[in-house]
Amino acid sequence: MITRVDSVRPMTVEQNTLASDQMPRHVAIIMDGNGRWAQQRGKPRVWGHKNGVESVRRAVSFCRQKGIASLTLFAFSSENWRRPEGEVSTLMELFILVLNNEVKKLNRNDVRLKVVGDTSRFSDKLQAKIQKAEELTKNNTALVLNIAANYGGRWDIAQAARKAAQDSIDNNECVDNISEAAIDKHMCLADQPPLDLLIRTGGDFRISNFLIWQAAYAELYFTDVLWPDFDETAFTEAVGAFVERERRFGFTGEQIKNQTVTSPCPIIEQE
Ligand code: FPP
């Protein structure tokens, strides 16, 4: 089910009416529209990325307030290396700046930072900062903030499939027995609740090789709001749309309504 909303549409669900048992546990966001936001203001594209950091802060704060367990942000895709060199290096500098300026605050707020993706292509300096930030925040429990950096959904599936195959070899098992669950347990976000809600800002209707495995049963939400304008109202609107959806996981609406289904997640059921 796909919902598109205009940024001007009035909120359907007021913030304070969202009950905690209706809230998504895991939200992911494709933070699109930074370049256009800057260009609309006669500024270079990287200005939009810099302003996008404020939206990241707001989104983290929203998730903390609402008790959302995991927030996964698409900061840099495995395809984003194709961008002009200046934009890529500004984004790398911005990641370092964010790690320098924000990690202590995240730690004080009980937020665990996790970077998902192939970080081996980043500079030694950035890799060291990532490692330090993850180490500092590893015991925090209020929210996991996953930053997807040099991340691609196909890369994630391939690395998980390799590990599942290796498990199979190590245990002298036949590869025919490799199940969805055997792959799922090696996916980057396997330690966290299943993805409930995938939001894309910026008006496009694509997943862009983001969490393609994890999005199998996620609710998709697309908004025209450009990422630097994505505020608490826009996030509330997205969550409001989510709570109004009926998630069926292959069952009928009647089965769900009559609560004859206890564990609707297909992967958990498999093993
Ligand atoms: C997509 O907008 C945005 C990005 C590729 C980068 C997102 C990065 C940030 C918001 C800042 C850093 C964040 C963290 C968490 C360290 P776009 O450039 O494709 O916009 P456009 O579609 O208007 O061109």
Side-chain angles (χ1 to χ4, degrees), residues 34-252:
N34 292 345
R36 277 165 289 159
W37 186 90
Q39 282 162 343
Q40 283 168 7
R41 287 157 180 79
K43 304 270 190 189
R45 294 175 47 80
V46 293
W47 176 253
H49 298 316
K50 287 176 186 161
N51 278 275
V53 174
E54 189 49 41
S55 294
V56 171
R57 285 193 199 101
R58 282 194 297 256
V60 170
S61 162
F62 181 90
C63 291
R64 275 293 276 108
Q65 281 169 36
K66 303 294 172 196
I68 291 168
S70 291
L71 173 66
T72 304
L73 301 176
F74 206 9
F76 194 84
S77 78
S78 40
E79 290 74 35
N80 282 152
W81 298 105
R82 296 174 182 162
R83 292 191 171 206
E85 212 181 303
E87 184 169 338
V88 170
S89 57
T90 304
L91 277 168
M92 295 301 142
E93 285 161 21
L94 203 55
F95 296 154
I96 292 179
L97 198 76
V98 167
L99 289 169
N100 282 341
N101 296 345
E102 308 290 332
V103 170
K104 281 192 188 133
K105 201 166 24 161
L106 291 175
N107 194 38
R108 277 200 304 276
N109 283 287
D110 201 19
V111 179
R112 175 179 152 213
L113 183 82
K114 178 170 169 162
V115 176
V116 292
D118 181 6
T119 52
S120 65
R121 198 168 160 185
F122 293 143
S123 68
D124 291 346
K125 184 179 171 186
L126 182 49
Q127 288 187 51
K129 286 205 178 287
I130 289 171
Q131 221 178 346
K132 208 171 150 196
E134 288 183 332
E135 183 60 29
L136 177 73
T137 62
K138 69 178 181 198
N139 295 321
N140 295 341
T141 54
L143 168 71
V144 186
L145 172 61
N146 303 293
I147 303 294
N150 196 21
Y151 178 89
R154 290 176 178 174
W155 166 85
D156 198 0
I157 294 169
Q159 66 81 27
R162 277 192 296 273
K163 286 178 185 152
Q166 190 61 53
D167 287 347
S168 190
I169 292 165
D170 293 347
N171 296 326
N172 275 327
E173 282 168 7
C174 175
V175 289
D176 288 349
N177 294 336
I178 296 176
S179 62
E180 288 181 25
I183 294 174
D184 188 65
K185 77 174 187 202
H186 291 298
M187 298 298 296
C188 280
L189 302 174
D191 57 332
Q192 294 171 50
L195 181 61
D196 291 314
L197 172 61
L198 173 58
I199 299 170
R200 182 178 186 134
T201 64
D204 284 327
F205 296 98
R206 282 190 287 276
I207 295 186
S208 298
N209 195 20
F210 192 25
L211 302 168
I212 50 179
W213 175 279
Q214 297 86 345
Y217 280 95
E219 294 298 321
L220 307 180
Y221 180 88
F222 299 90
T223 172
D224 286 337
V225 174
L226 304 176
W227 178 249
D229 289 330
F230 191 81
D231 57 11
E232 204 166 305
T233 305
F235 208 155
T236 303
E237 177 97 15
V239 171
F242 171 85
V243 301
E244 285 170 11
R245 304 268 180 94
E246 180 185 64
R247 304 183 78 195
R248 291 193 294 276
F249 301 97
F251 295 100
T252 66

Side-chain angles (χ1 to χ4, degrees), residues 10-35:
M11 281 162 56
T12 51
V13 178
E14 293 298 331
Q15 236 174 293
N16 56 11
T17 64
L18 295 172
S20 63
D21 62 345
Q22 297 172 309
M23 294 296 285
R25 285 188 301 158
H26 188 163
V27 178
I29 309 182
I30 301 175
M31 308 181 287
D32 200 15
N34 292 345

